[in-house]
Short mmCIF file of all heavy atoms in Angstrom, two decimals:
data_model
loop_
_atom_site.label_atom_id
_atom_site.label_comp_id
_atom_site.label_asym_id
_atom_site.label_seq_id
_atom_site.Cartn_x
_atom_site.Cartn_y
_atom_site.Cartn_z
N PHE P 106 -149.59 -23.90 52.00
CA PHE P 106 -150.03 -25.33 52.11
C PHE P 106 -150.03 -25.90 50.65
O PHE P 106 -150.67 -25.41 49.77
CB PHE P 106 -151.38 -25.56 52.81
CG PHE P 106 -151.77 -26.95 52.77
CD1 PHE P 106 -151.35 -27.71 53.98
CD2 PHE P 106 -152.45 -27.60 51.73
CE1 PHE P 106 -151.83 -29.08 54.07
CE2 PHE P 106 -152.96 -28.90 52.03
CZ PHE P 106 -152.54 -29.73 53.00
N ALA P 120 -169.80 -7.30 56.24
CA ALA P 120 -170.87 -6.36 56.11
C ALA P 120 -170.23 -4.93 56.29
O ALA P 120 -169.45 -4.58 57.18
CB ALA P 120 -171.75 -6.52 57.37
N LEU P 154 -171.48 -30.34 40.68
CA LEU P 154 -172.24 -29.85 41.89
C LEU P 154 -172.21 -28.50 42.24
O LEU P 154 -173.03 -28.02 43.11
CB LEU P 154 -171.59 -30.51 43.12
CG LEU P 154 -171.72 -32.15 43.18
CD1 LEU P 154 -170.99 -32.77 44.27
CD2 LEU P 154 -173.23 -32.49 43.30
#
Side-chain angles (χ1 to χ4, degrees):
F106 181 89
L154 293 174

